[in-house]
Amino acid sequence: MKGYGGTPFIHIQKRYGMINSVNQSKSPRHLLISEKLREQISSGQYAPGGQLPSEFDLGQQFNVSRTTVRRAIANLVNQGLVTTHRGKGVFVKERSKVVFSLSNPLTFFNTDLVRQGITGSVRNIRFERVDPPLDIATQLGLTAEGTEVYCQQKIILTNDIPTVLDMVYFPVEVGEKLSDALQQGFTYTTLDRNGFPLERAEITLESTHATPEIGRYLEVPIGAPLLLYRYVAYSQGDRPVACGEAISRADRACYSVVLTRGDLHTEDV
């Protein structure tokens, strides 16, 4: 296989430590280059806020065409590691993330933000009464056919940067009573402080990627990695008062949990 300028690309891979296995040597060149650049970013060779070499210089460094370099950079952009500025170049993104806690006792998003010195705000997109999908009705414990719910879609910003897209459903009683407050504040805190104290939440985490619509809301490219936080929140009497999913930018947020050893119940063998 020949690289840009006629040098066998296998030599370039060896020179820059880009071969770890036989399978990797068969990977497309732009993927090998983006992986090498990712390693250099992770190691601090290119610091947050720092600029990567130009397309020309990277082409010379790895002995490949500019088209291959552009594809490698596109991979880094989709991973949330760098950002491009037209006419200026490619820059490494700041790596500090908002850390949301999943540990007991139940911690609210805005509490985590305050603890980290981050300014949080909410931008309401819509708040309306709708017929719920079957899974939503089930999660909210609705048994009567035709029972409506309130649906809210909002963006959570951290230091004025769109970070989380939240789609949440409420029973009608909750939506009508807290309509104004929910459109201005964080879901858990608003419920807890306005007559619906939260006792527990059931949560699952998954990975996903940005669709065109989500990308517009969170200001990320299509296909960018995202974290999907699904939840059902319960008030007193084990009553579900909200359910939904919060989609967060993987380059701006992460989740932490503290695990402690509980009572062990063992049997003699």
Side-chain angles (χ1 to χ4, degrees), residues 175-186:
E176 288 183 344
K177 181 178 180 180
L178 304 183
S179 174
D180 291 339
L182 287 170
Q183 293 182 66
Q184 299 177 41
F186 292 82

Side-chain angles (χ1 to χ4, degrees), residues 212-259:
E213 181 181 13
I214 293 174
R216 287 194 298 272
Y217 285 133
L218 294 181
E219 299 179 5
V220 295
I222 298 172
L226 304 171
L227 298 172
L228 176 59
Y229 171 106
R230 288 197 173 100
Y231 60 95
V232 182
Y234 296 84
S235 187
Q236 294 174 330
D238 212 34
R239 174 191 176 192
V241 290
C243 71
E245 53 186 40
I247 304 172
S248 57
R249 291 172 48 168
D251 66 325
R252 291 290 303 169
C254 63
Y255 292 87
S256 70
V257 61
V258 176
L259 302 176

Side-chain angles (χ1 to χ4, degrees), residues 3-266:
Y4 181 75
T7 302
F9 190 71
I10 193 74
H11 294 164
I12 303 167
Q13 293 172 306
K14 289 179 178 178
R15 177 183 175 186
Y16 290 100
M18 296 167 68
I19 294 180
N20 295 318
S21 67
V22 174
N23 289 336
Q24 278 187 311
S25 67
K26 297 178 181 179
S27 298
R29 287 176 287 180
H30 69 280
L31 293 180
L32 292 167
I33 294 171
S34 63
E35 179 61 19
K36 181 59 181 178
L37 292 173
R38 186 193 65 77
E39 291 174 359
Q40 292 173 336
I41 291 171
S42 297
S43 69
Q45 182 172 338
Y46 297 116
Q51 185 174 5
L52 295 187
S54 67
E55 287 182 1
F56 176 81
D57 289 339
L58 287 174
Q60 291 288 310
Q61 177 180 339
F62 293 107
N63 211 21
V64 296
S65 69
R66 285 196 175 187
T67 299
T68 300
V69 170
R70 291 190 187 107
R71 295 182 68 185
I73 295 300
N75 289 335
L76 298 178
V77 171
N78 287 334
Q79 294 177 53
L81 296 175
V82 302
T83 183
T84 60
H85 296 282
R86 189 171 183 177
K88 295 183 178 180
V90 182
F91 296 84
V92 179
K93 283 189 175 181
E94 297 292 336
R95 286 176 288 182
S96 58
K97 295 185 179 183
V98 179
V99 181
F100 295 119
S101 174
L102 300 180
S103 303
N104 282 323
L106 183 62
T107 304
F108 302 159
F109 276 15
N110 57 314
T111 302
D112 280 328
L113 296 180
V114 171
R115 175 174 52 81
Q116 296 168 71
I118 297 172
T119 301
S121 58
V122 170
R123 180 191 301 159
N124 188 70
I125 300 173
R126 65 188 180 100
F127 189 90
E128 58 189 359
R129 193 162 169 163
V130 300
D131 293 322
L134 180 59
D135 61 327
I136 297 299
T138 300
Q139 291 178 66
L140 291 179
L142 305 177
T143 56
E145 186 175 349
T147 302
E148 293 183 326
V149 300
Y150 274 90
C151 174
Q152 181 183 25
Q153 190 176 28
K154 63 174 178 273
I155 298 173
I156 297 174
L157 299 94
T158 58
N159 290 339
D160 294 325
I161 299 173
T163 303
V164 181
L165 175 63
D166 195 18
M167 174 73 81
V168 56
Y169 296 86
F170 307 96
V172 168
E173 177 191 353
V174 176
E176 288 183 344
K177 181 178 180 180
L178 304 183
S179 174
D180 291 339
L182 287 170
Q183 293 182 66
Q184 299 177 41
F186 292 82
T187 299
Y188 283 4
T189 301
T190 301
L191 291 168
D192 198 68
R193 293 178 178 176
N194 292 277
F196 300 95
L198 299 188
E199 297 294 325
R200 68 184 181 94
E202 295 178 354
I203 297 166
T204 61
L205 282 177
E206 300 178 27
S207 62
T208 186
H209 62 275
T211 62
E213 181 181 13
I214 293 174
R216 287 194 298 272
Y217 285 133
L218 294 181
E219 299 179 5
V220 295
I222 298 172
L226 304 171
L227 298 172
L228 176 59
Y229 171 106
R230 288 197 173 100
Y231 60 95
V232 182
Y234 296 84
S235 187
Q236 294 174 330
D238 212 34
R239 174 191 176 192
V241 290
C243 71
E245 53 186 40
I247 304 172
S248 57
R249 291 172 48 168
D251 66 325
R252 291 290 303 169
C254 63
Y255 292 87
S256 70
V257 61
V258 176
L259 302 176
T260 58
R261 179 173 175 170
D263 295 331
L264 296 179
H265 301 283
T266 60

